[in-house]
Amino acid sequence: MTEKIIPIFERRALPASTAPLLLEQANGELQDTRARRLHDLRISVTDRCNFRCVYCMPKEIFGKDYPYQPHAALLSFEEITRVARIFAAHGVEKLRLTGGEPLLRKNVERLIAQLAAIRTTDGRTLDLTLTTNGSLLEKKARALKAAGLQRITVSLDALDDAVFKRMNDVDFAVADVLRGIDAAHRAGLGPVKVNMVVKAGMNDDQIVPMARHFKNTPSILRFIEYMDVGASNGWKMDQVIASQEVIRRIADVMPLDALPANYVGETANRWRYRDGGGEIGVISSVTQAFCDDCSRARLSTEGKLFTCLFASHGHDLRALLRGNASDLEISSTIAQIWRARGDRYSQLRTEQTRPAAGKVEMSYIGG
Ligand code: SAM
Ligand code: SF4
Ligand code: SF4
């Protein structure tokens, strides 16, 4: 499709930093400077969480006085849905709700129902998923499914209660998360993906027990390399266990074969148990960066658009939403931001990388 460029005749009171220079209709085929399509949108619906995972929201920093976004600052469900619809017109086919803990956002089911009504450029439903720590899942799984959620990812970092409690730092028990995973399967939100962040010396002794537990179940366990997101987790390279090592440890006791990728841009490398016990995945964000295929945009709780998980600044879409911008103006702004995108932080990361002040936190922007 050819692009239609419409010059602006009238500039209303839009903030200069985000106002589009040219108006153009979305054609579903946006590409950035490295020819990467815009395909996924991750939406953070809250920056709050009931866990204090040591690698994400350490208690010393996320204490009682932490300045979370006030409610009025958050995008409303209507604002989120409007932005998501515009992203869909640009070719986004997959939405993931995240946070903070997305199930803490009041009436999140209502948002899911609104998002479920959006269609892709060729009329299909969007792939609609959510990532949660599982603490409220047992209670909410059925309502989430009824609202139109298709699948769910649950984070669980250990099978041993003492290790898990050391990681979540709020004394939350493994059994409660496992009940949430079961409830999600019963509600039809499966296959549930279970994400385990591996931090050396903290929970790496849980790699094999977790693999054994989820083998021969409908859940797909994925091991995530501990990343230097944000500036609060004190990340060091020697705290990362490379995916290769994770696979080696599991394959030593339960032989594995590599599987081909499902689609371009898939973040996990997939492996299958040789005895037919199902599959696992490894997400090697540190040792094998996947920036070349990265098609993800991220919308923060208060409406900033980030083009990389490691970005230090976002583009303020809320100012447009609340400044009477038309859909065409917002759409044109998004197009210009994506076209200018050149991010590839993980590829540029080196062994010398140390947490730098200024990068946004994972709990703020979502995983
Ligand atoms: N609270 C929800 C949860 O924990 O699933 C959703 C938000 S959380 C920020 C999304 C994912 O990011 C989780 O799977 C979490 O384990 C992961 N994560 C957080 N900090 C991380 C880090 N430093 N490195 C790798 N993964 C991280
Ligand atoms: Fe909360 Fe998820 Fe971060 Fe843990 S990883 S502190 S559950 S936002
Ligand atoms: Fe995408 Fe940025 Fe992660 Fe690279 S570092 S995969 S560009 S989010």
Side-chain angles (χ1 to χ4, degrees), residues 74-272:
L74 310 190
L75 290 192
S76 68
F77 292 167
E78 287 65 31
E79 288 170 332
I80 293 174
T81 305
R82 184 176 172 208
V83 173
R85 190 171 288 120
I86 294 170
F87 270 94
H90 276 306
V92 162
E93 300 194 348
K94 187 168 172 184
L95 299 179
R96 176 177 297 279
L97 300 188
T98 177
E101 174 46 44
L103 298 187
L104 287 183
R105 179 85 185 247
K106 221 169 147 195
N107 299 322
V108 72
E109 302 84 350
R110 206 159 56 71
L111 171 64
I112 290 170
Q114 291 179 24
L115 296 174
I118 300 176
R119 294 290 173 266
T120 61
T121 48
D122 55 0
R124 286 171 292 123
T125 50
L126 298 180
D127 190 8
L128 187 52
T129 65
L130 180 149
T131 303
T132 174
N133 62 24
S135 57
L136 300 168
L137 190 53
E138 189 181 14
K139 213 164 62 191
K140 290 197 170 232
R142 283 177 57 177
L144 294 170
K145 176 69 185 178
L149 193 71
Q150 291 161 357
R151 282 176 300 99
I152 203 155
T153 299
V154 180
S155 304
L156 178 63
D157 295 328
L159 209 57
D160 179 274
D161 240 355
V163 178
F164 185 52
K165 288 180 177 176
R166 266 202 303 280
M167 298 229 28
N168 66 51
D169 216 9
V170 292
D171 218 29
F172 202 83
V174 173
D176 294 328
V177 180
L178 294 178
R179 273 203 303 279
I181 294 173
D182 287 346
H185 276 293
R186 279 197 307 277
L189 289 168
V192 175
K193 288 183 181 151
V194 178
N195 278 356
M196 169 177 173
V197 173
V198 183
K199 189 171 174 201
M202 187 108 203
N203 67 337
D204 60 306
D205 64 340
Q206 297 293 298
I207 293 170
V208 171
M210 284 281 283
R212 203 169 266 133
H213 179 86
F214 287 105
K215 187 165 179 263
N216 294 308
T217 73
S219 300
I220 300 173
L221 178 60
R222 298 159 357 137
F223 298 90
I224 304 181
E225 287 178 353
Y226 172 46
M227 290 186 286
D228 50 328
V229 200
S232 0
N233 65 11
W235 183 89
K236 293 194 188 68
M237 186 68 196
D238 61 11
Q239 295 165 333
V240 179
I241 303 266
S243 294
Q244 225 183 351
E245 168 66 9
V246 169
I247 293 298
R248 194 194 58 73
R249 289 195 201 177
I250 298 170
D252 265 359
V253 281
M254 294 174 279
L256 290 165
D257 294 313
L259 283 169
N262 275 325
Y263 54 89
V264 176
E266 188 172 43
T267 47
N269 287 119
R270 301 159 59 229
W271 294 76
R272 179 172 53 198

